[in-house]
Amino acid sequence: MSFTDPFTLCIAAIITLSLLGLPIGHSMIAGSILYLYAAGLDMGTAAEQLLNGMYTSYILLAVPLFILSAEIMNSGSMTERLLGFCNALVGRFRGGLAQVNVVQSIIFAGMSGSAIADAAGTGKMMQKMMTDGNKYPASFAAALTAATAVIGPIIPPSIPIVIYALVSDASIGYLFLAGMLPGLLMGIMMMGIVAWSARRRHFPVEPPVPAREIPGITLRALPALLMPVVLLGGIYSGVTTPTEAAAIAAAYAFLISTLLYRTTTLAGSYQSLLSAARTTASIGMLIAGALVFNYVVTVENIPRALSAYLQAFDMSPTTFLIVVNLLLLVLGCLLEGTTILLIVIPVLIPTAQALGVDMVHFGIVAVVNIMLGLITPPYGLLLFIMTNIGQVSLRALVGEIMPFLYAMLGALAIITFFPDFVLFLPRMFGYQG
């Protein structure tokens, strides 16, 4: 492959423009247009691929709707009520506030579908609660918040799972079901690490919530707790598609915040819409760039060539998944998760299918890997977010997060080597894979 080869020029342009600070989505569009020009193809194909991909994919509508749901929840009092409920459940144990941090992430995971939304929303509140009065070291609180935020995109709903469904044609409903047990497993393992750290480091015990107050706290949080039931109930009962369920979830969050809790003002609603629009535009440009670049990859026949190359090694499905884990863990340290889902995963899918790897299982393995990349040094995005929120150094944060990262790598091993664990719930609902 020479330096004047169109594909080489395309890759060089994408890397160069990204290093110069251009967003990766824009860089992929520019590099792909350069490829079409150098290959003597119609450059208008870039616009055609972008428009066809963005405007004919009904599934993509779920992404801004899940983002909007999270923004509305953060602007109202839904998150505070959920935190109060979590505190009533586990706050009385040693290291109780840390345990609340884990439990709220498990519950809030069923609402936002985004690790960034979890960290910036309830995670920011938990950071303040844990560090008030020097109850917990700021670096530990920030590390725990970053680690627990990873659960969000694994337990449904999940924006990364929606994007994986887009590139793989796997069922969103079955993917959502498949993410439940792995997400709960990761949460339980984190709670174990917290309990061990609390005893070893003598973390404080919070005053227990009186038993007589628990029913009232539960009742106040009940409308918020019912949001995942409304969302997932619509999908699995067959009443709604995942995209329609996302719209219902956003409407439900808005109605609960404005009419029942009465904590969301007109100005707050406008800010929620504005913030959701900004986030959606950012993700949308990345998806648009990936759609155009994927056309280039398809023209170059890279997925089929890679599939033939890997199959020549006579890999078993397990060996292939080990290789994928190692590849994605390394890439997760360097690239943004959505980029990996849109660019790398489509290249690996033909090989996975040829080897008989279940597409739902493969999707959960891929998403868990990509989420771990968010907290993997040196470039995990959540690490940088939490250094800013927690006002701690990256070195201190990395030192505190490693036990949680090791625990989640253990969970990843279970998810990888025991596909029946991942597929148990989907099969209960009729999945034939």
Side-chain angles (χ1 to χ4, degrees):
M1 186 177 289
S2 68
F3 289 108
T4 57
D5 176 78
F7 189 67
T8 304
L9 289 173
C10 172
I11 297 298
I14 292 172
I15 294 173
T16 302
L17 291 172
S18 298
L19 291 175
L20 290 173
L22 192 69
I24 183 65
H26 296 75
S27 300
M28 285 190 288
I29 292 174
S32 300
I33 291 174
L34 177 61
Y35 170 87
L36 293 171
Y37 174 77
L41 300 174
D42 181 9
M43 288 189 289
T45 305
E48 180 186 350
Q49 291 297 315
L50 190 155
L51 293 173
N52 285 342
M54 295 295 286
Y55 291 105
T56 61
S57 183
Y58 179 63
I59 194 175
L60 280 179
L61 278 174
V63 174
L65 292 169
F66 284 140
I67 293 170
L68 180 59
S69 298
E71 291 292 342
I72 292 171
M73 289 183 65
N74 287 336
S75 69
S77 67
M78 294 179 76
T79 51
E80 289 91 338
R81 292 168 190 259
L82 287 173
L83 287 176
F85 174 74
C86 295
N87 185 53
L89 286 181
V90 296
R92 66 185 67 236
F93 304 114
R94 181 168 292 281
L97 271 181
Q99 297 288 14
V100 169
N101 200 336
V102 181
V103 174
Q104 65 84 19
S105 280
I106 293 173
I107 294 176
F108 196 70
M111 324 249 177
S112 70
S114 165
I116 307 302
D118 285 1
T122 54
K124 193 171 185 178
M125 294 168 61
M126 285 304 311
Q127 178 75 18
K128 184 176 185 304
M129 290 170 62
M130 291 179 68
T131 53
D132 275 353
N134 296 317
K135 293 177 181 177
Y136 295 83
S139 56
F140 176 84
L144 178 61
T145 299
T148 57
V150 169
I151 300 174
I154 299 168
I155 298 177
S158 165
I159 292 172
I161 284 179
V162 171
I163 294 172
Y164 173 79
L166 171 70
V167 301
S168 69
D169 289 328
S171 164
I172 294 184
Y174 289 135
L175 283 164
F176 278 0
L177 280 170
M180 287 185 180
L181 290 181
L184 290 173
L185 172 66
M186 295 174 73
I188 291 169
M189 295 182 86
M190 284 189 209
M191 292 180 78
I193 296 291
V194 168
W196 172 73
S197 298
R199 288 194 301 270
R200 187 172 64 90
R201 300 171 67 171
H202 306 292
F203 287 152
V205 179
E206 301 299 316
V209 175
R212 65 179 180 276
E213 295 182 12
I214 293 177
I217 292 172
T218 304
L219 186 63
R220 286 192 292 273
L222 188 61
L225 290 169
L226 285 176
M227 186 170 166
V229 177
V230 171
L231 174 69
L232 301 177
I235 295 173
Y236 300 128
S237 66
V239 175
T240 65
T241 66
T243 302
E244 290 165 348
I248 291 171
Y252 180 84
F254 177 75
L255 291 174
I256 292 298
S257 295
T258 54
L259 299 182
L260 185 61
Y261 292 158
R262 299 184 180 181
T263 53
T264 299
T265 62
L266 186 62
S269 299
Y270 174 74
Q271 287 302 318
S272 295
L273 287 168
L274 199 62
S275 180
R278 288 195 186 109
T279 306
T280 300
S282 175
I283 294 175
M285 279 307 303
L286 190 55
I287 293 174
L291 288 169
V292 180
F293 181 70
N294 282 342
Y295 174 77
V296 172
V297 171
T298 303
V299 170
E300 287 289 311
N301 208 21
I302 290 174
R304 186 176 297 176
L306 179 64
S307 178
Y309 176 75
L310 292 175
Q311 287 179 60
F313 287 97
D314 196 24
M315 286 184 179
S316 68
T318 301
T319 304
F320 171 73
L321 287 175
I322 292 172
V323 172
V324 168
N325 277 335
L326 295 174
L327 173 65
L328 294 183
L329 285 171
V330 171
L331 291 176
C333 301
L334 305 170
L335 298 175
E336 198 271 333
T338 306
T339 305
I340 299 173
L341 277 169
L342 291 167
I343 300 300
V344 179
I345 297 302
V347 176
L348 297 173
I349 283 174
T351 306
Q353 291 173 325
L355 293 174
V357 176
D358 183 89
M359 282 294 96
V360 171
H361 178 227
F362 183 69
I364 300 303
V365 170
V367 169
V368 171
N369 267 290
I370 290 166
M371 290 305 103
L372 292 186
L374 292 172
I375 59 169
T376 302
Y379 298 114
L381 181 59
L382 279 176
L383 297 180
F384 292 109
I385 290 174
M386 290 314 301
T387 55
N388 183 44
I389 291 175
Q391 295 297 301
V392 296
S393 70
L394 182 61
R395 180 188 295 272
L397 180 59
V398 168
E400 293 281 12
I401 207 168
M402 293 312 293
F404 298 104
L405 183 57
Y406 294 144
M408 285 188 282
L409 288 172
L412 174 61
I414 294 172
I415 293 164
T416 301
F417 297 124
F418 299 97
D420 289 341
F421 174 74
V422 176
L423 299 175
F424 175 74
L425 286 179
R427 285 171 178 163
M428 283 185 64
F429 282 79
Y431 180 60
Q432 300 298 316

